[in-house]
Amino acid sequence: MLIELTIEGPDAVSFLQGYVTNDLSSIQPEVGQPMAITNIQGRVIANGWSYGRTDRVNLVIHPTVEHTVREHLNNYMVFAKSTILDTTAVVYLFETPVEGGINLTPLNWYLHTKPNSANNLDEMCVTAEFPIITEPTSGQFLPQMLALTDFGTVSFSKGCYLGQEIVARAEHRGAVKRKLKSISMTDDLAPIGTQIRDQDGKKCTVITRFQNQALVVGQI
């Protein structure tokens, strides 16, 4: 389960361009682009997808980071002509096309408001090696550390956004010393955000897990 946070108003796209990593100039109503929201240090506070229109943008994120994202964006909306709607929509992921669904690139998943008990969010993320940030790991990692750049989440040609300078420097200087990897878990009780050691004894932080498999960020 994920949620949609909606920003509505005549400058919805132009406002969000300064706070998301993807380029909203090509936003579409039925196709979700991978996106991340970074803080001033370039760390990802939330990620998922964006879709909609120039005056109404839907951000698909994990429910545990809703308050963080609302608070973060509201800090900068003083002079915006858009607002974050008070209500959110609960949405579900599908691995096959569903009528009326939003196609989520580049994984070719689909998003719909109807419940879907067939697919488990954590299992899908672990299998695709696509992490979705939750509250315990919000604000800790650069997009490159989470391998989000491999999925086209970051545009390096759009204008500036909060944290852009640090993200760009890490990309062009190759300064990232920690990256996402998939490992088999031996500790069934290690929750998201816990520091563990991988098979080589290197420290890692658990980002997403399903059964005995996990996506972790650790030393290269």
Side-chain angles (χ1 to χ4, degrees):
M1 182 187 80
L2 296 168
I3 63 165
E4 286 182 351
L5 201 63
T6 302
I7 292 81
E8 191 174 65
D11 66 347
V13 159
S14 60
F15 167 74
L16 283 174
Q17 280 283 52
Y19 302 98
V20 297
T21 59
N22 63 316
D23 189 352
L24 292 176
S25 64
S26 57
I27 193 168
Q28 300 179 61
E30 297 178 353
V31 178
Q33 301 173 336
M35 68 87 199
I37 302 170
T38 50
N39 59 23
I40 198 168
Q41 291 82 28
R43 267 53 181 179
V44 177
I45 65 171
N47 76 299
W49 292 268
S50 60
Y51 75 95
R53 311 185 306 260
T54 56
D55 61 346
R56 184 183 175 94
V57 179
N58 298 301
L59 301 178
V60 181
I61 58 175
H62 197 274
T64 61
V65 294
E66 177 185 357
H67 175 75
T68 299
V69 172
R70 284 184 179 276
E71 188 175 65
H72 175 75
L73 293 179
N74 275 326
N75 286 334
Y76 303 99
M77 296 192 82
V78 178
F79 300 107
K81 298 177 182 178
S82 299
T83 57
I84 306 175
L85 299 189
D86 292 335
T87 57
T88 57
V90 175
V91 287
Y92 301 87
L93 295 180
F94 292 75
E95 292 184 284
T96 55
V98 55
E99 185 177 356
I102 305 299
N103 181 212
L104 302 180
T105 60
L107 297 169
N108 212 29
W109 292 345
Y110 290 82
L111 189 75
H112 205 283
T113 54
K114 70 177 182 180
N116 179 23
S117 59
N119 293 327
N120 180 285
L121 173 63
D122 294 331
E123 181 181 14
M124 291 173 68
C125 289
V126 168
T127 300
E129 297 190 10
F130 180 81
I132 293 181
I133 286 296
T134 57
E135 191 276 333
T137 54
S138 178
Q140 295 187 37
F141 304 105
L142 293 169
Q144 292 92 336
M145 296 177 184
L146 297 165
L148 294 179
T149 48
D150 296 345
F151 293 90
T153 302
V154 179
S155 170
F156 292 101
S157 59
K158 64 172 273 185
C160 292
Y161 57 88
L162 195 69
Q164 180 264 345
E165 184 177 349
I166 295 173
V167 174
R169 186 186 305 130
E171 182 72 13
H172 299 304
R173 294 185 181 179
V176 175
K177 297 181 179 179
R178 291 181 292 165
K179 285 195 175 180
L180 188 81
K181 50 188 172 182
S182 178
I183 67 169
S184 296
M185 297 279 289
T186 56
D187 184 357
D188 292 337
L189 300 179
I192 305 302
T194 301
Q195 281 204 344
I196 62 171
R197 292 189 181 274
D198 64 13
Q199 293 90 331
D200 298 321
K202 295 180 179 179
K203 287 184 179 180
C204 303
T205 302
V206 180
I207 306 298
T208 305
R209 62 172 301 171
F210 178 73
Q211 296 178 353
N212 68 333
Q213 292 296 120
L215 298 180
V216 301
V217 171
Q219 296 173 330
I220 301 172

